[in-house]
Amino acid sequence: MRRVLALIRKEFLQLRRDRRLLPILFVAPVLQLTLLGYAATTDLRDVPIVVCDLAGCPASRDLVAAITASGDFRVRAWVEAPAAIDAYLDRGRAELAVILPADFGRRLAAGQSAAVQVLVDGTRVNAGLALSQLSGAVAHHAGRLVQQRVARSGSHQPVPSVSVVCRVWYNPELSSRNFMVPGVLALVLMVVTTVVTSMAVVRERETGTIEQIIVSPLRPVHLIAGKLVPYALIGLLEIVLVLTVAWWWFRVPLRGSLSLLVVLSALFMLNAQGLGLLISTVSHTQQQAMMTAVFFVILPMMLLSGFAFPIENMPPAVQQVTYLLPLRYYLIIVRGIFLKGVGWAELWPQAVALLGFGTGILGLAVARFRKRLG
Amino acid sequence: MLERIAAIATKEARQIRRDPRTLALLILLPALMLVLYGYALNFDVKHIRVAVLDQDHSDASRLFADGLFQSEYFARAGCLEDSAEAEAWLDAGRGRAVLVIPRGFGADTAEEQPAVVQALVAGDNANAAHLTLGYLDGLARYCSQRWQHERAQRHGRPAPVAPVQVEPRVWYNPTLASSQSLLPGLIGFLLMVIGAVATSLSVVREKERGTLEQLMVSATRPAEFVVGKVTPYLLIMLLTEALILVVARALFGVPLRGSPGWLLAASVVYLLGGLGVGLLISTIADTQQVAFQIAALVTMLPSMLLSDLVFPIASMPLALQQVTWLVPARHFIAILRGLMLKGAGPSAWGRPLLVLVVFAATVFGVATQRLARSLRGT
């Protein structure tokens, strides 16, 4: 025990000596979460559109007003001829173009169907959502026109129809920020901790100080524990910091238990640090450790964990792979506790998975290190 | 001067070759990653898991629910008995929505009265929820139209027409497959990450090992050192990118509609920017641990989140939109989309290219200066 304590003290001394590391470990996560928390939104807001109104009548202007009413779309420019639209879409200055034909008002007045042409820049990431929202706005407007027609014709006969009344749970204002900020929080925690621990052991190997540790009476378990404890303490402080930012700055509602969130966050942290240490024990140089950490741990976690890309859209084989990513479980936990207010009853499978992975990874790191010594 | 640069470049190339595992990873990994992520990732929300809570138990209600699952957007994920079960089902995250068909639905439709169904939608993932709401709404509209049509036919009246109809046409990417817009983004992201990974440890490693002092006493000037160090990496990275582009073309059918020459020019400038960022980080950090930490925070997260790769820049707050100008991946992704998918001329990608040139020049300038200072200082 005394040996482990001595190693922990040595690690802390080394951490303090590096003038840049500690500030980065504490300031960077907060800064990143604040900045990226604002970035991570999939909401449509002020999507620029260009309108070519060949009709120029009250009816066509009504339709454009109906499209922009929700704030999803904003008219970037009005053009005279359809040919002028190319420049806007090519340069990315507008995402959609709406073309109202010259006979738009006439056909409407005659009770015929008028077609509105919509051009979409298919290279945009949210093109599908934008098109569906715009079509919905037009359809709603059309529904109102039908009602007006029926009212004018004076018939009060009911029309067979079905309508869907939707109730949105957990996030009634449908703000994607509430969903994304907990995700960014998890991502930032994962990156910061994996990176710092992935260098912890291999650095000693590169600088040659590992031999001194090997000849000391420290056992592999002691060494891993001594490396882990200082980073775990720093990690706990980081958890508190980023949770504060999410809750106090971004006002993400915390509906579940804070203590459960902190405990499970610490469990996730153990996984991230265990992965870092494992990388560190199998690498020969810090460059190798960096590449392994980036390409085999951080990138898969960023892209495949369900942070931005829905797991259910992935091919079945890849979906199986995602079960190997601790971040997958932690995202369900952090979003569940924040937004749904769920507790132990719903989250125990995720907690068990994190516990299993965490002990497995740390055990592997110790075993790898023992083999190296022999 | 050229001689000294060549000497440094040769030395660096030899050092790279001595570690063949790292070299192979530098060249092959990004292409492999593109294969994996190109297949795995997409935003096309399909097969949304929906459970049905049928309180009506009529033929009409069953028919309506079946109609829902005929579209590829929805997948039947179960039948529920009561609202308590629906709540537990959504809480456990087993699906995105519950369709509630209330008692009296069959009677209403039989009497040709307006009927109402309810949908409980999990809103935690706002993007998927928006699309779910849109699909449900469209489906209800389609159903109503069909019923009205059928009734008009029964009564021998002309079918009612929808006053306004949308005729969508999607440019550049007619099937609206999100993978087509994601691939250029992934290419930009992977190249920035690999560039920074390649060089961010290069100088600080020499600092840690003490070989930087040898440089101090040699006749090499900092600018020569920087150019010599970066040249081999630039050549490797160009090979990496060529492989990536072949993969994008052969496996995913991403076209190159614009000029290949300009694509090469833009790539060189962008790769220089990425390598320059790595070099700059390397001159700032005192240990490799810190260099890795800065590289991860400066290149990985911003290149994914602030680059228009996943989150549309137009939706961000205005102040943050200004910040994204500092993210080179944003500009390169715009160039790639312009050149590959749109086949647009210089008016579309000229400005981003100019920004990349300024960016590369700036990071190299600052990196050289910092190196000169630390050489004098040690």
Side-chain angles (χ1 to χ4, degrees):
Chain A
M1 195 63 213
R2 268 222 324 270
R3 290 178 201 143
V4 180
L5 278 179
L7 190 63
I8 292 173
R9 232 189 61 214
K10 175 229 141 200
E11 285 294 318
F12 266 122
L13 282 177
Q14 208 166 8
L15 279 172
R16 229 183 37 201
R17 249 201 357 219
D18 192 328
R19 225 169 292 146
R20 291 213 169 83
L21 189 61
L22 275 186
I24 289 176
L25 285 182
F26 288 114
V27 177
V30 173
L31 260 180
Q32 293 255 322
L33 180 58
T34 315
L35 200 67
L36 302 176
Y38 281 109
T41 165
T42 50
D43 301 344
L44 292 181
R45 229 194 53 196
D46 286 344
V47 173
I49 63 173
V50 44
V51 179
C52 177
D53 186 358
L54 297 169
C57 61
S60 67
R61 280 191 290 273
D62 278 354
L63 179 66
V64 176
I67 290 171
T68 52
S70 66
D72 288 353
F73 302 98
R74 165 177 63 90
V75 178
R76 174 92 189 228
W78 299 80
V79 296
E80 301 287 324
I85 288 170
D86 292 30
Y88 283 92
L89 291 192
D90 273 357
R91 285 185 208 182
R93 295 184 61 201
E95 183 163 344
L96 297 102
V98 178
I99 305 174
L100 296 145
D103 58 357
F104 183 80
R106 216 173 332 120
R107 291 185 73 93
L108 271 192
Q112 289 167 313
S113 181
V116 178
Q117 214 176 70
V118 176
L119 307 179
V120 189
D121 176 351
T123 65
R124 302 291 191 114
V125 276
N126 61 351
L129 181 62
L131 180 59
S132 119
Q133 293 298 99
L134 192 122
S135 305
V138 173
H140 269 286
H141 184 66
R144 271 199 303 277
L145 289 177
V146 171
Q147 276 171 5
Q148 283 169 12
R149 254 183 217 170
V150 171
R152 265 203 306 276
S153 71
S155 92
H156 293 289
Q157 214 186 1
V159 186
S161 69
V162 58
S163 51
V164 185
V165 179
C166 290
R167 274 204 296 156
V168 177
W169 282 10
Y170 312 127
N171 182 13
E173 62 270 35
L174 275 182
S175 136
S176 65
R177 180 156 300 145
N178 284 346
F179 181 67
M180 284 302 174
V181 167
V184 176
L185 175 159
L187 211 60
V188 168
L189 273 185
M190 187 269 297
V191 171
V192 171
T193 48
T194 311
V195 164
V196 76
T197 46
S198 68
M199 299 295 213
V201 178
V202 68
R203 191 176 51 178
E204 308 243 8
R205 181 166 294 135
E206 233 182 26
T207 48
T209 46
I210 197 101
E211 273 92 2
Q212 291 167 19
I213 292 180
I214 290 174
V215 295
S216 75
L218 276 170
R219 280 195 304 186
V221 189
H222 293 154
L223 180 81
I224 296 288
K227 289 276 176 190
L228 195 65
V229 170
Y231 291 118
L233 288 178
I234 293 172
L236 271 180
L237 269 175
E238 278 171 349
I239 289 174
V240 173
L241 273 177
V242 292
L243 287 180
T244 311
V245 173
W247 175 74
W248 177 76
W249 180 261
F250 284 107
R251 306 264 164 208
V252 179
L254 178 60
R255 301 212 169 93
S257 142
L258 178 65
S259 49
L260 184 66
L261 184 56
V262 172
V263 169
L264 293 181
S265 300
L267 195 57
F268 168 67
M269 188 69 96
L270 204 67
N271 277 266
Q273 289 170 335
L275 275 175
L277 281 180
L278 181 61
I279 292 169
S280 205
T281 52
V282 300
S283 302
H284 296 284
T285 63
Q286 295 188 60
Q287 173 113 43
Q288 270 177 13
M290 181 184 194
M291 294 195 63
T292 316
V294 165
F295 285 101
F296 294 105
V297 176
I298 297 178
L299 280 190
M301 294 245 234
M302 281 172 91
L303 298 172
L304 298 179
S305 62
F307 160 66
F309 301 93
I311 292 177
E312 59 255 45
N313 293 1
M314 297 172 190
V318 180
Q319 287 193 25
Q320 301 300 317
V321 174
T322 63
Y323 285 104
L324 298 174
L325 303 172
L327 187 59
R328 179 205 158 112
Y329 304 104
Y330 184 58
L331 279 173
I332 296 174
I333 289 171
V334 71
R335 283 171 173 161
I337 294 181
F338 262 113
L339 295 177
K340 296 186 176 178
V342 293
W344 184 250
E346 287 85 5
L347 295 176
W348 68 264
Q350 277 75 32
V352 169
L354 281 185
L355 192 65
F357 271 112
T359 41
I361 292 164
L362 279 175
L364 210 58
V366 173
R368 288 285 320 187
F369 193 74
R370 181 174 294 143
K371 227 165 82 187
R372 272 294 157 74
L373 288 182
Chain B
M1 185 181 94
L2 272 177
E3 238 169 82
R4 282 193 297 261
I5 292 177
I8 299 254
T10 319
K11 173 230 143 203
E12 196 66 28
R14 252 186 228 141
Q15 210 164 10
I16 295 171
R17 222 181 39 204
R18 255 208 338 231
D19 187 357
R21 207 166 89 177
T22 305
L23 178 62
L25 288 180
L26 278 180
I27 295 173
L28 294 178
L29 259 187
L32 283 177
M33 295 277 140
L34 192 71
V35 174
L36 171 64
Y37 298 127
Y39 273 118
L41 306 182
N42 67 77
F43 280 124
D44 312 326
V45 176
K46 279 179 190 161
H47 312 298
I48 300 164
R49 290 169 60 82
V50 178
V52 179
L53 172 52
D54 189 350
Q55 296 170 329
D56 194 46
H57 297 293
S58 63
D59 288 338
S61 67
R62 266 188 293 277
L63 218 62
F64 180 77
D66 288 345
L68 181 74
F69 297 114
Q70 260 161 26
S71 99
E72 60 174 346
Y73 296 120
F74 299 104
R76 192 194 288 270
C79 284
L80 306 172
E81 291 303 318
D82 53 41
S83 47
E85 203 186 339
E87 191 171 332
W89 193 78
L90 281 178
D91 273 353
R94 297 181 54 197
R96 288 214 198 280
V98 176
L99 181 73
V100 186
I101 305 180
R103 209 159 284 138
F105 177 85
D108 281 343
T109 51
E111 290 165 26
E112 302 193 332
Q113 296 284 327
V116 176
V117 297
Q118 206 186 36
L120 308 175
V121 179
D124 50 348
N125 182 347
N127 188 39
H130 262 302
L131 285 167
T132 310
L133 293 178
Y135 295 150
L136 284 172
D137 209 37
L139 204 75
R141 216 178 293 122
Y142 172 76
C143 234
S144 309
Q145 262 171 22
R146 217 184 48 210
W147 289 346
Q148 285 157 25
H149 210 89
E150 282 166 8
R151 186 173 76 153
Q153 271 185 336
R154 272 200 305 276
H155 295 270
R157 273 179 299 189
V161 290
V164 188
Q165 272 171 341
V166 173
E167 272 178 12
R169 268 205 295 159
V170 182
W171 278 11
Y172 316 124
N173 175 18
T175 53
L176 209 57
S178 60
S179 61
Q180 293 281 310
S181 70
L182 274 175
L183 275 162
L186 277 174
I187 293 173
F189 172 65
L190 288 172
L191 285 179
M192 178 49 69
V193 170
I194 193 90
V197 165
T199 51
S200 62
L201 301 186
S202 62
V203 177
V204 68
R205 193 172 40 206
E206 308 221 9
K207 264 194 237 172
E208 260 187 357
R209 287 187 189 155
T211 45
L212 205 63
E213 270 97 359
Q214 293 169 14
L215 192 74
M216 205 172 69
V217 294
S218 78
T220 326
R221 263 174 279 159
E224 296 163 0
F225 177 74
V226 166
V227 173
K229 227 167 167 78
V230 162
T231 308
Y233 283 110
L234 180 64
L235 296 177
I236 294 173
M237 293 292 115
L238 279 174
L239 199 62
T240 311
E241 194 192 348
L243 254 180
I244 280 189
L245 291 177
V246 167
V247 165
R249 180 70 177 265
L251 286 180
F252 301 107
V254 180
L256 174 57
R257 302 204 171 99
S259 132
W262 279 110
L263 181 63
L264 180 68
S267 304
V268 170
V269 176
Y270 179 62
L271 290 173
L272 279 177
L275 295 171
V277 169
L279 212 59
L280 180 58
I281 292 169
S282 208
T283 59
I284 291 172
D286 292 324
T287 58
Q288 296 187 54
Q289 197 173 23
V290 172
F292 185 12
Q293 193 68 254
I294 301 178
L297 295 173
V298 170
T299 61
M300 295 188 66
L301 290 173
S303 296
M304 176 173 169
L305 300 177
L306 299 178
S307 65
D308 219 24
L309 166 61
V310 255
F311 301 110
I313 289 177
S315 299
M316 297 175 191
L318 272 180
L320 194 60
Q321 290 190 25
Q322 307 296 321
V323 174
T324 63
W325 276 87
L326 295 172
V327 180
R330 175 213 156 137
H331 305 289
F332 189 59
I333 290 173
I335 295 172
L336 282 185
R337 286 187 181 145
L339 277 173
M340 298 173 86
L341 300 175
K342 297 185 180 179
S347 69
W349 42 261
R351 204 159 58 156
L353 183 57
L354 199 68
V355 176
L356 284 184
V357 171
V358 173
F359 182 85
T362 312
V363 287
F364 271 102
V366 178
T368 311
Q369 221 170 24
R370 286 211 51 110
L371 187 69
R373 210 165 45 177
S374 66
L375 282 182
R376 271 201 309 273
T378 43

